[in-house]
């Protein structure tokens, strides 16, 4: 191989090494979005006798993260929110035996805090940078970016991908 050939091969090798993880990983990365200023209530937390409501501004006091993915309900793009693990800890819910997530359509899932720590779950507050209307699976939803591809391939059932999330109960 001549010098140009060697340079070409080296460049090609480097480009491949760099491109592959980017193409394969759908993982959560930090977001540059500014936190929401919206104080309208979007989420109700129930813990023992105590009930409190949180706004997007409250939830987004935690660091924002994002992931680009294709959601099986037909939304494809950048989903932004906070790490569910960080949210659960911030709200003092990590000591609960289990957390019950309830959607506007009464769909419900139960997750143990340990399971939330193991999977990189995102509590989504935005799609394409904007708050998500009720008509578009909002105001909140859970997504698991690491499992997105397996879900689309039909290898994993997305039962924990609750959308139109409105309540969390500590039990
Ligand atoms: N709010 C809400 N989220 C939900 C559901 C639902 O009925 N309501 N169904 C769950 C289940 S069981 C699955 S498999 C996936 C996909 O649901 P779908 O096949 O009804 O679209 O979304 C999950 N999230
Ligand atoms: Mo399902």
């Amino acid at each position: 191989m001549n010098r140009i050939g060697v340079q070409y091969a080296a460049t090609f090798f480097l480009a491949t090494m760099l491109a592959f993880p980017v193409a394969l990983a759908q993982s959560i990365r930090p977001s540059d979005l500014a936190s929401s200023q919206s104080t309208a209530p979007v989420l109700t937390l129930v813990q023992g006798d105590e009930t409190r409501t949180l706004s997007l501004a409250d939830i987004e006091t935690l660091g924002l993260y994002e992931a680009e993915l294709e959601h099986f309900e037909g939304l494809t793009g950048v989903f932004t929110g906070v790490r569910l693990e960080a949210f659960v800890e911030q709200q003092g819910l990590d000591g609960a035996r289990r957390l019950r997530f309830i959607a506007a359509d009464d769909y419900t899932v139960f997750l143990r805090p340990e399971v939330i720590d193991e999977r990189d779950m995102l509590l989504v507050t935005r799609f394409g940078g904007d708050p998500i209307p009720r008509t578009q699976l909002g105001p909140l939803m859970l997504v698991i970016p690491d499992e997105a591809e397996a879900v689309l391939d039909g290898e994993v059932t997305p039962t924990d991908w609750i959308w139109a999330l409105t309540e969390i109960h500590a039990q």
Side-chain angles (χ1 to χ4, degrees):
M1 238 186 322
N2 59 24
R3 216 167 69 101
I4 302 293
V6 170
Q7 274 177 0
Y8 179 81
T11 306
F12 182 76
F13 176 73
L14 270 176
T16 309
M17 294 303 286
L18 289 173
F20 247 93
V22 172
L24 292 177
Q26 298 291 314
S27 295
I28 296 175
R29 59 182 183 236
S31 162
D32 290 335
L33 286 184
S35 297
S36 173
Q37 302 288 309
S38 173
T39 54
V42 289
L43 182 65
T44 302
L45 294 184
V46 180
Q47 197 173 15
D49 305 335
E50 195 196 336
T51 296
R52 54 190 194 276
T53 56
L54 299 180
S55 63
L56 288 182
D58 294 327
I59 296 169
E60 292 189 356
T61 55
L62 287 166
L64 287 178
Y65 287 83
E66 65 184 26
E68 192 164 0
L69 60 91
E70 184 177 340
H71 193 285
F72 51 84
E73 287 295 322
L75 296 180
T76 301
V78 178
F79 291 76
T80 308
V82 300
R83 288 195 136 102
L84 185 59
E85 178 181 358
F87 176 81
V88 162
E89 195 184 321
Q90 183 202 42
Q91 295 299 326
L93 304 172
D94 45 340
R97 195 166 52 86
R98 61 178 190 174
L99 298 174
R100 181 179 186 185
F101 294 77
I102 307 169
D105 62 354
D106 289 333
Y107 180 77
T108 193
V109 287
F110 296 89
L111 293 169
R112 291 187 304 118
E114 307 87 82
V115 171
I116 291 170
D117 295 357
E118 284 160 18
R119 300 155 90 196
D120 216 354
M121 304 179 96
L122 194 64
L123 173 59
V124 174
T125 52
R126 321 267 196 106
F127 173 69
D130 297 319
I132 311 161
R134 282 274 170 118
T135 50
Q136 244 195 331
L137 317 179
L140 302 169
M141 73 181 93
L142 298 187
V143 303
I144 309 158
D146 289 344
E147 298 174 16
E149 237 171 71
V151 165
L152 284 179
D153 293 346
E155 290 157 15
V156 170
T157 308
T159 39
D160 296 335
W161 293 49
I162 183 171
W163 67 81
L165 172 66
T166 56
E167 285 185 42
I168 303 174
H169 294 200
Q171 302 188 326

